[in-house]
């Protein structure tokens, strides 16, 4: 299990190199390099535009007092798409562009939403414990003289 990330890294590198060689054989190396840079630039531009739109939607939901959980999951897919688009290569660009498609984002959101724990301040969420309301008054840390019940009855109530 601990070798899985390394295996995935080598598999992705193998796929990227294979695709690059096949595309370079058809189009030429210079055009292939320009194509990789162009797809990365276009992808980052798309991520930035969708990210700003998602941020605006999150702010609107927060202003209305609604949960922006769906937009937060969407923003995670945008961050992942941005990372994949920054990595040079055709395979990662295709995966990043797929994460920008609304149906893929919706599917990802539906899969991840049940696993989210949403905290709503003000008691809007389920009760997790007992809440006791009351007042308190901080006293000095110096120990006070113990007063017997008889002496307490003799004291003025305002002095307590």
């Amino acid at each position: 299990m601990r070798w899985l990330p390394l295996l995935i890294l080598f598999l992705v590198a193998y796929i990227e190199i294979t695709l690059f060689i096949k595309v370079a054989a058809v189009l030429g190396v210079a055009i292939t390099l320009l194509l990789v840079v162009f797809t990365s630039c276009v992808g980052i531009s798309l991520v930035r535009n969708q990210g700003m739109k998602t941020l605006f939607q999150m702010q609107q939901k927060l202003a209305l007092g609604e949960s922006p959980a769906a937009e937060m999951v969407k923003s995670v897919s945008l961050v992942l798409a941005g990372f994949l688009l920054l990595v040079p290569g055709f395979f990662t660009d295709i995966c990043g562009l797929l994460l920008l498609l609304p149906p893929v984002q919706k599917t990802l959101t539906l899969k991840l939403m049940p696993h989210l724990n949403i905290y709503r301040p003000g008691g809007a969420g389920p009760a997790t414990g007992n809440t006791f309301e009351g007042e308190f008054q901080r006293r000095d840390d110096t120990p006070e003289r113990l007063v017997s019940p008889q002496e307490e009855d003799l004291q003025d109530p305002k002095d307590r």
Side-chain angles (χ1 to χ4, degrees):
M1 190 67 177
R2 69 178 214 205
W3 295 100
L4 188 62
L6 192 60
L7 181 66
I8 290 172
L9 180 69
F10 281 123
L11 183 65
V12 168
Y14 175 76
I15 292 170
E16 289 290 1
I17 291 169
T18 304
L19 281 175
F20 190 84
I21 290 171
K22 289 188 185 243
V23 172
V26 173
L27 299 177
V29 175
I31 294 176
T32 304
L33 285 173
L34 286 174
L35 189 60
V36 168
V37 171
F38 177 73
T39 56
S40 293
C41 292
V42 168
I44 293 300
S45 174
L46 287 171
V47 168
R48 184 180 54 202
N49 290 340
Q50 281 196 6
M52 295 304 264
K53 181 181 170 187
T54 303
L55 180 66
F56 182 68
Q57 289 173 345
M58 283 174 50
Q59 288 175 342
Q60 282 183 331
K61 288 226 175 171
L62 285 173
L64 294 173
E66 298 175 6
S67 173
E71 283 76 16
M72 292 173 75
V73 172
K74 187 176 180 182
S75 67
V76 169
S77 72
L78 288 175
V79 169
L80 186 59
F83 174 74
L84 289 172
L85 289 167
L86 274 177
V87 175
F90 294 112
F91 180 69
T92 53
D93 286 347
I94 290 169
C95 292
L97 289 173
L98 282 176
L99 281 173
L100 293 178
L101 295 175
V104 175
Q105 288 178 345
K106 187 173 185 177
T107 304
L108 185 66
T109 302
L110 291 175
K111 296 269 187 199
L112 292 179
M113 284 296 282
H115 302 290
L116 293 179
N117 292 329
I118 301 170
Y119 169 73
R120 293 188 181 112
T128 57
N130 296 328
T131 303
F132 300 99
E133 290 191 25
E135 296 179 8
F136 74 95
Q137 184 178 31
R138 187 177 298 268
R139 294 189 178 179
D140 292 348
D141 290 338
T142 58
E144 294 183 6
R145 184 175 72 85
L146 293 176
V147 179
S148 68
Q150 291 83 15
E151 289 177 334
E152 190 175 282
D153 291 338
L154 297 175
Q155 289 180 349
D156 190 16
K158 290 185 268 182
D159 292 339
R160 290 186 204 164

